[in-house]
Amino acid sequence: KKGGEPDSGDKIRIIGHDDILNNDKYSGFPEECRTIPGNSIYRLDGQDYQEDEFEAFIHAPFKNDSAGDRNDTSLAMQVALWDGDKCLKGLFLGDLKYPTIKRIFDTTKENDRAEKLEYNCLLASHHCSKSVMYFKSEGEEEETLKQDILDEFEEAALDGAYIIASCESDFTDEKGKNPPHAKARDRYEEIVDSGNFLCTHEHSSDANNPEPIKFELEEDGISYIDPIGELSESKNSDSLDLTDSILAARGNNKPPEKPVGFG
């Protein structure tokens, strides 16, 4: 309907495999706006970037997961941002559970792309759910700890890495309760340095008004910007085109006011 490039905040990219894309409804959808997992995206808000500026490497969804549980169709990606020789890497695994996350690590390593698993910041999957590392495998009567995925997370963590849980702060292990789960938090805190596990809804002096979690890329790595200014302070610098593009593509720079429900 636009007849050309859509406005900022109104763009779309289809990621993955699905037979629905063969329907007439999607006839003529631009191939340059579709990405198959195993490939990278270098385009933000209609602007092309070099792989040493911005890259989003797509890990999942896998083709045979498109018809399964909707959480299994989650977008999993590594986002890398460069400033000269410095690089900030974030690993985002959506709402995926242990089997798919383990498959991501196995497949990526089999293809000699272990660097696509590295992270300075890891977003804890499914709002810090225990299903990432506690799972009932075939032949097991109850879920057990899968130490192999914790070892993978630890190996992929870069120096001083952070793990972030996007969730309320009511961590519990009560049976039948939705995440966030306390035992998942405990396992994540064993991977990173003390104080490097952050919860979005604990991130403020006022529990009712959490602040965005921010990091700055420094010469010797990343620096966490404490919202109260106790740990570090943000440097004054001119806005970068890449940063502007990210903000414009979102369509709104205001953080969500309400927590997202669980799928």
Side-chain angles (χ1 to χ4, degrees):
K1 290 180 180 179
K2 181 70 177 180
E5 186 77 10
D7 298 327
S8 294
D10 198 27
K11 294 182 171 67
I12 189 170
R13 176 169 295 276
I14 293 179
I15 296 175
H17 312 260
D18 203 297
D19 291 340
I20 197 174
L21 298 177
N22 298 322
N23 293 353
D24 291 342
K25 182 178 179 179
Y26 294 94
S27 176
F29 186 84
E31 280 298 316
E32 62 269 22
C33 295
R34 182 184 177 192
T35 301
I36 302 300
N39 293 282
S40 294
I41 299 169
Y42 304 104
R43 189 173 177 84
L44 271 176
D45 194 31
Q47 182 171 343
D48 291 318
Y49 289 91
Q50 301 296 320
E51 58 183 308
D52 57 354
E53 293 180 280
F54 162 82
E55 178 184 11
F57 180 83
I58 308 302
H59 285 290
F62 292 105
K63 186 174 184 178
N64 58 357
D65 286 335
S66 62
D69 183 280
R70 69 177 182 175
N71 285 344
D72 293 338
T73 69
S74 288
L75 170 63
M77 62 182 175
Q78 182 209 60
V79 174
L81 303 172
W82 278 267
D83 181 11
D85 294 335
K86 299 176 293 181
C87 184
L88 172 62
K89 296 180 178 181
L91 188 61
F92 305 89
L93 299 172
D95 285 346
L96 296 176
K97 300 186 287 290
Y98 167 76
T100 307
I101 295 176
K102 183 62 168 67
R103 183 180 175 189
I104 286 173
F105 276 85
D106 290 345
T107 301
T108 306
K109 288 186 172 183
E110 287 169 4
N111 287 279
D112 297 322
R113 289 173 163 176
E115 73 280 0
K116 303 301 185 185
L117 300 166
E118 296 174 342
Y119 64 89
N120 301 102
C121 303
L122 169 68
L123 187 65
S125 181
H126 201 185
H127 315 282
C128 203
S129 170
K130 64 181 180 179
S131 64
V132 174
M133 71 286 290
Y134 289 91
F135 191 78
K136 185 171 72 172
S137 299
E138 185 176 352
E140 293 183 331
E141 295 183 359
E142 57 184 29
E143 62 185 27
T144 58
L145 174 64
K146 306 302 180 183
Q147 184 62 43
D148 54 359
I149 200 62
L150 296 177
D151 293 340
E152 296 282 17
F153 284 144
E154 186 169 15
E155 181 182 344
L158 298 171
D159 289 343
Y162 284 79
I163 295 179
I164 300 168
S166 175
C167 58
E168 296 186 355
S169 56
D170 53 343
F171 292 87
T172 179
D173 286 330
E174 187 176 339
K175 189 173 182 179
K177 287 289 187 179
N178 280 332
H181 296 135
K183 59 168 56 176
R185 178 175 187 159
D186 290 343
R187 301 292 81 75
Y188 284 130
E189 288 183 330
E190 293 168 357
I191 294 173
V192 294
D193 297 337
S194 177
N196 284 21
F197 177 94
L198 303 175
C199 171
T200 53
H201 279 63
E202 294 175 347
H203 197 248
S204 175
S205 57
D206 180 358
N208 294 318
N209 294 286
E211 296 288 337
I213 295 176
K214 299 180 181 179
F215 296 93
E216 187 172 87
L217 196 53
E218 304 281 3
E219 287 294 338
D220 56 350
I222 65 168
S223 174
Y224 163 58
I225 302 173
D226 185 87
I228 311 175
E230 293 178 344
L231 299 182
S232 59
E233 295 181 358
S234 176
K235 291 181 178 178
N236 293 321
S237 60
D238 294 333
S239 297
L240 301 175
D241 289 341
L242 180 59
T243 303
D244 294 339
S245 293
I246 294 172
L247 295 178
R250 291 180 59 189
N252 191 330
N253 192 32
K254 185 179 180 181
E257 294 180 352
K258 297 180 179 179
V260 177
F262 300 108

